[in-house]
Amino acid sequence: MDIAVSFPEGIPVFSLSGRFDGSEAKSFDQEALKLDGGAAYLVIDLSGVNYLSSVAIRSLLTIEKRLKVLDGGVVLTGMTEFVRQVLHVSGLDGLLRTSPSLEQGMAMVRNSVAAGPVVEREISGCRAKIRRLPGSKSVVEWWEPRINNDTSANPLLGVSLDNLGFAFGNGLLGETSAGRDAGIGSFVCTPYFAGVAGTQANDVSDFMVGDTSLLVPVQLSMAVGVSGTPAFLIQLHGENTFSLLAAIDGTYEAVDGKTSNPVLGFVAIGEYEEAGQGVFVTGVAFNPAQAKSMDADGHLEKWPGQDQLPSGRKMIGGGVSLAETGELIARTELADAIHSLATLDVLRDVIKLSECRKVVRASVWVFVPAAVKNGADKLLQVNVENAGEWRPEWDAIVRRLYHDCRSVTLAPLHGGYMSKTFRAVAYDREGRRTLPTVLKIGPTALTEREQKANRDYVSRFILNNGTTVLGSEHEGDWAGLRYNFLGINGPDSQLVWLREHYLTRPVPEVLALFEQLLTRVLKPWYGQPKWEQVSLYRDHTPLRLFPELIQIAERELNVSADSPIFDCPELGVPLPNPFHFLKHEYPLRATQSRLWYTAICHGDLNLQNVLVDERNNLYVIDFSETRPRNVVSDFARMEPILKFEMPRLESDEDLRHLLEFEEGLMSVTRLDEPPPLCYRGNDPLVARAHAGITFLRRCADRATLFEQDIVPYWLALLEWTYSVVCYMQVTRRHKRYAACSAALIVRSILELERAS
């Protein structure tokens, strides 16, 4: 092993390269002994070490103990994954200071060296070493749930550990539905772990540590905490056991002349007499008579369960009993010490301050806050324009999805049957506007299907005109997706539904957008059809999404599914009853299969799940129904949108004219046959719909490699024609129009069967 010794900025640095085993440990020990006795810290760069033996570990511990006498120690930097695992298995990753890089390790040493001189004095009957720490800056924060400044709207507020800092209060771990109070108990948290006391007498406390603590929020009903960096470290040692709270009160006296603050925050680790067992404490001490100068609303004074300190001050907080403290008491770096005790083997129970027993030694980090503030002010600010219905679960989802932002404004993108879609404009923590994204919130199962389909069929096929899922979160029965749109032209890009372009632009321009969508953007789907056996009646039944469809038709249209005839006075002819066909023929034909083309299809393609920017770039969303199916499915899905949703239907005369138009659309017998325009009314949207439908059928013909059979198209069209009867937002005339259209399609199917 090579050992390179240098002294940048006067800090001794050993850069090691090779195998650090027993034969090389002796060389390391000899170099370490050459260090000037005044050097309290040694930085060891292990980025070149590929092996670490037990003898080498013993050498590291030896130099650590020697430097600890000087209030210093070893700082290990740049560890490889193998070395990190060896230290973890040995239980030393929590004992020795570590840093990801040499530069950060040197910064750690500089901060420690810059700390003020150690002052020794007696506090509450024990010896104390008081050290002023550099760069201190902190605030005390109180927390309470709120949505859009309404504190009564949400009984719980989800906050991440990095936002809470060192905090205590009432809450629970993980996700919860709004209004749920089961499991709420006293909690204590740090940036590295959180624990909640059991709600029943014999319940054990629940903890989360490690990577889980970075992802799972604390759901709180009330909390107080301190965030920032401490101003003092006070290390206490008594000949006899002493009260930790009394000692903390004494530390107030020790630093008061240097701060004159009526409010101080504390984090402490104390050791009991029993074999290294101990306690972790975090809290806020304050002088009631003076605290209002910093806490005008009296949040600290109103806090329940205050502990009276010997001096007359009061303290609020919480603690955690520890199975062991080991060398943690000797740590000078707060983050280092807390990170080391954040394991399930060490953490025992969340306790009240009054339950802390006497200790034999302790380390107390003292925070001198500049203010007492509302912690929620630093959280993501969520603004919803024209929100309408807005649920507490959605607020929690947004906060977690946009946790990297300072604020987000959501504007509803109207459309969607079961999910809500929003255009999102967000600003990062430095106030810079980010690229626009789209947020979609829907039922958990639906959102999970969409995420899987996005992964399976979008990212591998249409990435540049699909969407990238930047994140997903769920809360209760709801889940949200944060979508990024590739190719958007900067933060001022405007996204609108394809529907708006359809209604306002000239027909040739609309058809050009359709062409771009169906034959270019989605070409990787439709352009690779597969010839295989399909069961069209089983695959296209509308009863999968609308199981009550037949009953709804009978109730709202007075059409019995048991009659084979459907009376259509608007056209002056009787037609086959489409609901009789659905009830009786679909089950009989469900097992029938035939060879036909299949491809990946969107499954619910319409004008309100395709977004268009100002440069006519198209972006497709809503993939919960995406999967391989009848290749013409998407084209047939869009046809009902154009003819049922867009044209005017305000009178019986409008209905008659539209049914004549419909009869013309259904008069063709081949997929490549352009339908005639049969319309005597004056609504220009009908001619527009005819142009769009003609184009859709031409695209369907291309996707089938010019197969002429139109029945697979009729069945895909029927699926979404039937469904209109169940739409709550449409009028009875629209439902009548859809029922008559379904009857015309069924007639065409039966006529084609008789002719074949």
Side-chain angles (χ1 to χ4, degrees), residues 316-341:
I316 57 177
V320 176
S321 59
L322 307 175
E324 58 181 88
T325 56
E327 299 294 325
L328 298 179
I329 300 296
R331 295 295 180 89
T332 58
E333 294 284 340
L334 176 58
D336 213 20
I338 303 304
H339 185 267
S340 298
L341 64 82

PDB file of all heavy atoms in Angstrom, residues 316-341:
ATOM      1  N   ILE A 316     -40.080  22.440  26.939  1.00  0.00           N
ATOM      2  CA  ILE A 316     -40.978  21.531  26.229  1.00  0.00           C
ATOM      3  C   ILE A 316     -40.118  20.669  25.317  1.00  0.00           C
ATOM      4  O   ILE A 316     -39.078  21.120  24.826  1.00  0.00           O
ATOM      5  CB  ILE A 316     -42.053  22.285  25.422  1.00  0.00           C
ATOM      6  CG1 ILE A 316     -41.409  23.255  24.420  1.00  0.00           C
ATOM      7  CG2 ILE A 316     -42.978  23.063  26.355  1.00  0.00           C
ATOM      8  CD1 ILE A 316     -42.394  24.000  23.534  1.00  0.00           C
ATOM      9  N   GLY A 317     -40.528  19.448  25.123  1.00  0.00           N
ATOM     10  CA  GLY A 317     -39.715  18.585  24.282  1.00  0.00           C
ATOM     11  C   GLY A 317     -40.106  17.138  24.420  1.00  0.00           C
ATOM     12  O   GLY A 317     -41.185  16.793  24.910  1.00  0.00           O
ATOM     13  N   GLY A 318     -39.223  16.266  23.998  1.00  0.00           N
ATOM     14  CA  GLY A 318     -39.448  14.834  24.071  1.00  0.00           C
ATOM     15  C   GLY A 318     -38.135  14.108  24.022  1.00  0.00           C
ATOM     16  O   GLY A 318     -37.074  14.696  23.760  1.00  0.00           O
ATOM     17  N   GLY A 319     -38.189  12.809  24.276  1.00  0.00           N
ATOM     18  CA  GLY A 319     -36.964  12.035  24.312  1.00  0.00           C
ATOM     19  C   GLY A 319     -37.160  10.632  23.798  1.00  0.00           C
ATOM     20  O   GLY A 319     -38.284  10.180  23.547  1.00  0.00           O
ATOM     21  N   VAL A 320     -36.048   9.933  23.639  1.00  0.00           N
ATOM     22  CA  VAL A 320     -36.034   8.538  23.217  1.00  0.00           C
ATOM     23  C   VAL A 320     -35.036   7.801  24.098  1.00  0.00           C
ATOM     24  O   VAL A 320     -33.877   8.232  24.226  1.00  0.00           O
ATOM     25  CB  VAL A 320     -35.625   8.388  21.736  1.00  0.00           C
ATOM     26  CG1 VAL A 320     -35.527   6.916  21.349  1.00  0.00           C
ATOM     27  CG2 VAL A 320     -36.599   9.110  20.827  1.00  0.00           C
ATOM     28  N   SER A 321     -35.456   6.708  24.728  1.00  0.00           N
ATOM     29  CA  SER A 321     -34.522   5.888  25.498  1.00  0.00           C
ATOM     30  C   SER A 321     -33.659   5.095  24.533  1.00  0.00           C
ATOM     31  O   SER A 321     -34.111   4.655  23.472  1.00  0.00           O
ATOM     32  CB  SER A 321     -35.275   4.963  26.449  1.00  0.00           C
ATOM     33  OG  SER A 321     -36.147   4.110  25.740  1.00  0.00           O
ATOM     34  N   LEU A 322     -32.385   4.912  24.900  1.00  0.00           N
ATOM     35  CA  LEU A 322     -31.400   4.280  24.033  1.00  0.00           C
ATOM     36  C   LEU A 322     -30.884   2.996  24.664  1.00  0.00           C
ATOM     37  O   LEU A 322     -30.609   2.950  25.872  1.00  0.00           O
ATOM     38  CB  LEU A 322     -30.223   5.226  23.774  1.00  0.00           C
ATOM     39  CG  LEU A 322     -30.571   6.625  23.244  1.00  0.00           C
ATOM     40  CD1 LEU A 322     -29.316   7.477  23.151  1.00  0.00           C
ATOM     41  CD2 LEU A 322     -31.260   6.536  21.898  1.00  0.00           C
ATOM     42  N   ALA A 323     -30.716   1.978  23.837  1.00  0.00           N
ATOM     43  CA  ALA A 323     -30.176   0.718  24.337  1.00  0.00           C
ATOM     44  C   ALA A 323     -28.691   0.818  24.610  1.00  0.00           C
ATOM     45  O   ALA A 323     -28.146   0.071  25.417  1.00  0.00           O
ATOM     46  CB  ALA A 323     -30.440  -0.402  23.321  1.00  0.00           C
ATOM     47  N   GLU A 324     -28.020   1.744  23.952  1.00  0.00           N
ATOM     48  CA  GLU A 324     -26.596   1.957  24.187  1.00  0.00           C
ATOM     49  C   GLU A 324     -26.210   3.341  23.702  1.00  0.00           C
ATOM     50  O   GLU A 324     -26.865   3.920  22.824  1.00  0.00           O
ATOM     51  CB  GLU A 324     -25.768   0.904  23.454  1.00  0.00           C
ATOM     52  CG  GLU A 324     -25.999   0.876  21.951  1.00  0.00           C
ATOM     53  CD  GLU A 324     -25.178  -0.188  21.248  1.00  0.00           C
ATOM     54  OE1 GLU A 324     -25.660  -1.326  21.159  1.00  0.00           O
ATOM     55  OE2 GLU A 324     -24.052   0.134  20.818  1.00  0.00           O
ATOM     56  N   THR A 325     -25.169   3.868  24.300  1.00  0.00           N
ATOM     57  CA  THR A 325     -24.635   5.158  23.864  1.00  0.00           C
ATOM     58  C   THR A 325     -23.208   5.022  23.368  1.00  0.00           C
ATOM     59  O   THR A 325     -22.750   5.788  22.535  1.00  0.00           O
ATOM     60  CB  THR A 325     -24.681   6.180  25.007  1.00  0.00           C
ATOM     61  OG1 THR A 325     -23.975   5.670  26.128  1.00  0.00           O
ATOM     62  CG2 THR A 325     -26.113   6.485  25.396  1.00  0.00           C
ATOM     63  N   GLY A 326     -22.465   4.037  23.891  1.00  0.00           N
ATOM     64  CA  GLY A 326     -21.108   3.783  23.418  1.00  0.00           C
ATOM     65  C   GLY A 326     -20.255   5.026  23.439  1.00  0.00           C
ATOM     66  O   GLY A 326     -20.141   5.718  24.453  1.00  0.00           O
ATOM     67  N   GLU A 327     -19.672   5.318  22.296  1.00  0.00           N
ATOM     68  CA  GLU A 327     -18.782   6.471  22.181  1.00  0.00           C
ATOM     69  C   GLU A 327     -19.503   7.728  21.716  1.00  0.00           C
ATOM     70  O   GLU A 327     -18.870   8.744  21.443  1.00  0.00           O
ATOM     71  CB  GLU A 327     -17.653   6.141  21.198  1.00  0.00           C
ATOM     72  CG  GLU A 327     -16.773   4.978  21.616  1.00  0.00           C
ATOM     73  CD  GLU A 327     -15.981   5.295  22.883  1.00  0.00           C
ATOM     74  OE1 GLU A 327     -15.587   6.450  23.052  1.00  0.00           O
ATOM     75  OE2 GLU A 327     -15.772   4.379  23.687  1.00  0.00           O
ATOM     76  N   LEU A 328     -20.845   7.655  21.615  1.00  0.00           N
ATOM     77  CA  LEU A 328     -21.580   8.793  21.062  1.00  0.00           C
ATOM     78  C   LEU A 328     -21.416  10.044  21.906  1.00  0.00           C
ATOM     79  O   LEU A 328     -21.412  11.166  21.396  1.00  0.00           O
ATOM     80  CB  LEU A 328     -23.067   8.446  20.941  1.00  0.00           C
ATOM     81  CG  LEU A 328     -23.411   7.279  20.008  1.00  0.00           C
ATOM     82  CD1 LEU A 328     -24.901   7.041  20.013  1.00  0.00           C
ATOM     83  CD2 LEU A 328     -22.914   7.555  18.612  1.00  0.00           C
ATOM     84  N   ILE A 329     -21.296   9.858  23.225  1.00  0.00           N
ATOM     85  CA  ILE A 329     -21.186  11.012  24.125  1.00  0.00           C
ATOM     86  C   ILE A 329     -19.949  11.840  23.792  1.00  0.00           C
ATOM     87  O   ILE A 329     -19.926  13.049  23.983  1.00  0.00           O
ATOM     88  CB  ILE A 329     -21.129  10.530  25.592  1.00  0.00           C
ATOM     89  CG1 ILE A 329     -22.397   9.757  25.944  1.00  0.00           C
ATOM     90  CG2 ILE A 329     -20.972  11.710  26.537  1.00  0.00           C
ATOM     91  CD1 ILE A 329     -23.655  10.573  25.903  1.00  0.00           C
ATOM     92  N   ALA A 330     -18.909  11.171  23.280  1.00  0.00           N
ATOM     93  CA  ALA A 330     -17.658  11.885  23.004  1.00  0.00           C
ATOM     94  C   ALA A 330     -17.676  12.618  21.670  1.00  0.00           C
ATOM     95  O   ALA A 330     -16.754  13.380  21.375  1.00  0.00           O
ATOM     96  CB  ALA A 330     -16.488  10.899  23.035  1.00  0.00           C
ATOM     97  N   ARG A 331     -18.692  12.408  20.854  1.00  0.00           N
ATOM     98  CA  ARG A 331     -18.739  13.059  19.548  1.00  0.00           C
ATOM     99  C   ARG A 331     -18.918  14.570  19.687  1.00  0.00           C
ATOM    100  O   ARG A 331     -19.673  15.033  20.539  1.00  0.00           O
ATOM    101  CB  ARG A 331     -19.889  12.495  18.719  1.00  0.00           C
ATOM    102  CG  ARG A 331     -19.719  11.035  18.354  1.00  0.00           C
ATOM    103  CD  ARG A 331     -18.523  10.835  17.423  1.00  0.00           C
ATOM    104  NE  ARG A 331     -18.350   9.447  17.056  1.00  0.00           N
ATOM    105  CZ  ARG A 331     -18.928   8.885  16.017  1.00  0.00           C
ATOM    106  NH1 ARG A 331     -19.735   9.588  15.261  1.00  0.00           N
ATOM    107  NH2 ARG A 331     -18.702   7.621  15.731  1.00  0.00           N
ATOM    108  N   THR A 332     -18.243  15.305  18.836  1.00  0.00           N
ATOM    109  CA  THR A 332     -18.426  16.757  18.820  1.00  0.00           C
ATOM    110  C   THR A 332     -19.308  17.208  17.661  1.00  0.00           C
ATOM    111  O   THR A 332     -19.889  18.287  17.717  1.00  0.00           O
ATOM    112  CB  THR A 332     -17.058  17.461  18.723  1.00  0.00           C
ATOM    113  OG1 THR A 332     -16.386  17.018  17.537  1.00  0.00           O
ATOM    114  CG2 THR A 332     -16.203  17.138  19.944  1.00  0.00           C
ATOM    115  N   GLU A 333     -19.395  16.388  16.614  1.00  0.00           N
ATOM    116  CA  GLU A 333     -20.241  16.713  15.466  1.00  0.00           C
ATOM    117  C   GLU A 333     -21.655  16.205  15.733  1.00  0.00           C
ATOM    118  O   GLU A 333     -21.870  14.998  15.885  1.00  0.00           O
ATOM    119  CB  GLU A 333     -19.695  16.087  14.190  1.00  0.00           C
ATOM    120  CG  GLU A 333     -18.357  16.642  13.744  1.00  0.00           C
ATOM    121  CD  GLU A 333     -18.488  18.014  13.115  1.00  0.00           C
ATOM    122  OE1 GLU A 333     -19.616  18.365  12.692  1.00  0.00           O
ATOM    123  OE2 GLU A 333     -17.475  18.721  13.049  1.00  0.00           O
ATOM    124  N   LEU A 334     -22.637  17.097  15.778  1.00  0.00           N
ATOM    125  CA  LEU A 334     -24.012  16.697  16.074  1.00  0.00           C
ATOM    126  C   LEU A 334     -24.544  15.723  15.040  1.00  0.00           C
ATOM    127  O   LEU A 334     -25.105  14.672  15.383  1.00  0.00           O
ATOM    128  CB  LEU A 334     -24.909  17.938  16.152  1.00  0.00           C
ATOM    129  CG  LEU A 334     -26.408  17.672  16.359  1.00  0.00           C
ATOM    130  CD1 LEU A 334     -26.656  16.871  17.622  1.00  0.00           C
ATOM    131  CD2 LEU A 334     -27.180  18.995  16.394  1.00  0.00           C
ATOM    132  N   ALA A 335     -24.386  16.042  13.762  1.00  0.00           N
ATOM    133  CA  ALA A 335     -24.905  15.159  12.713  1.00  0.00           C
ATOM    134  C   ALA A 335     -24.267  13.782  12.798  1.00  0.00           C
ATOM    135  O   ALA A 335     -24.927  12.751  12.602  1.00  0.00           O
ATOM    136  CB  ALA A 335     -24.656  15.776  11.337  1.00  0.00           C
ATOM    137  N   ASP A 336     -22.993  13.753  13.116  1.00  0.00           N
ATOM    138  CA  ASP A 336     -22.266  12.497  13.252  1.00  0.00           C
ATOM    139  C   ASP A 336     -22.857  11.643  14.373  1.00  0.00           C
ATOM    140  O   ASP A 336     -23.092  10.439  14.214  1.00  0.00           O
ATOM    141  CB  ASP A 336     -20.804  12.824  13.564  1.00  0.00           C
ATOM    142  CG  ASP A 336     -19.850  11.808  12.980  1.00  0.00           C
ATOM    143  OD1 ASP A 336     -20.253  11.099  12.055  1.00  0.00           O
ATOM    144  OD2 ASP A 336     -18.706  11.741  13.466  1.00  0.00           O
ATOM    145  N   ALA A 337     -23.106  12.271  15.515  1.00  0.00           N
ATOM    146  CA  ALA A 337     -23.628  11.545  16.671  1.00  0.00           C
ATOM    147  C   ALA A 337     -25.042  11.035  16.420  1.00  0.00           C
ATOM    148  O   ALA A 337     -25.363   9.877  16.703  1.00  0.00           O
ATOM    149  CB  ALA A 337     -23.590  12.448  17.906  1.00  0.00           C
ATOM    150  N   ILE A 338     -25.914  11.886  15.862  1.00  0.00           N
ATOM    151  CA  ILE A 338     -27.308  11.490  15.651  1.00  0.00           C
ATOM    152  C   ILE A 338     -27.402  10.416  14.585  1.00  0.00           C
ATOM    153  O   ILE A 338     -28.167   9.454  14.709  1.00  0.00           O
ATOM    154  CB  ILE A 338     -28.166  12.712  15.265  1.00  0.00           C
ATOM    155  CG1 ILE A 338     -28.074  13.790  16.346  1.00  0.00           C
ATOM    156  CG2 ILE A 338     -29.610  12.302  15.053  1.00  0.00           C
ATOM    157  CD1 ILE A 338     -28.461  13.314  17.727  1.00  0.00           C
ATOM    158  N   HIS A 339     -26.611  10.548  13.532  1.00  0.00           N
ATOM    159  CA  HIS A 339     -26.622   9.538  12.487  1.00  0.00           C
ATOM    160  C   HIS A 339     -26.198   8.181  13.029  1.00  0.00           C
ATOM    161  O   HIS A 339     -26.723   7.132  12.622  1.00  0.00           O
ATOM    162  CB  HIS A 339     -25.693   9.966  11.347  1.00  0.00           C
ATOM    163  CG  HIS A 339     -25.706   9.059  10.164  1.00  0.00           C
ATOM    164  ND1 HIS A 339     -24.813   8.017  10.021  1.00  0.00           N
ATOM    165  CD2 HIS A 339     -26.518   9.008   9.077  1.00  0.00           C
ATOM    166  CE1 HIS A 339     -25.060   7.373   8.905  1.00  0.00           C
ATOM    167  NE2 HIS A 339     -26.083   7.948   8.304  1.00  0.00           N
ATOM    168  N   SER A 340     -25.270   8.173  13.988  1.00  0.00           N
ATOM    169  CA  SER A 340     -24.767   6.924  14.539  1.00  0.00           C
ATOM    170  C   SER A 340     -25.779   6.214  15.426  1.00  0.00           C
ATOM    171  O   SER A 340     -25.785   4.988  15.506  1.00  0.00           O
ATOM    172  CB  SER A 340     -23.481   7.191  15.329  1.00  0.00           C
ATOM    173  OG  SER A 340     -22.478   7.711  14.487  1.00  0.00           O
ATOM    174  N   LEU A 341     -26.625   6.969  16.118  1.00  0.00           N
ATOM    175  CA  LEU A 341     -27.603   6.301  16.984  1.00  0.00           C
ATOM    176  C   LEU A 341     -28.907   5.952  16.259  1.00  0.00           C
ATOM    177  O   LEU A 341     -29.790   5.318  16.828  1.00  0.00           O
ATOM    178  CB  LEU A 341     -27.893   7.138  18.233  1.00  0.00           C
ATOM    179  CG  LEU A 341     -28.554   8.517  18.099  1.00  0.00           C
ATOM    180  CD1 LEU A 341     -30.058   8.413  17.961  1.00  0.00           C
ATOM    181  CD2 LEU A 341     -28.218   9.347  19.328  1.00  0.00           C
TER     182      LEU A 341
END
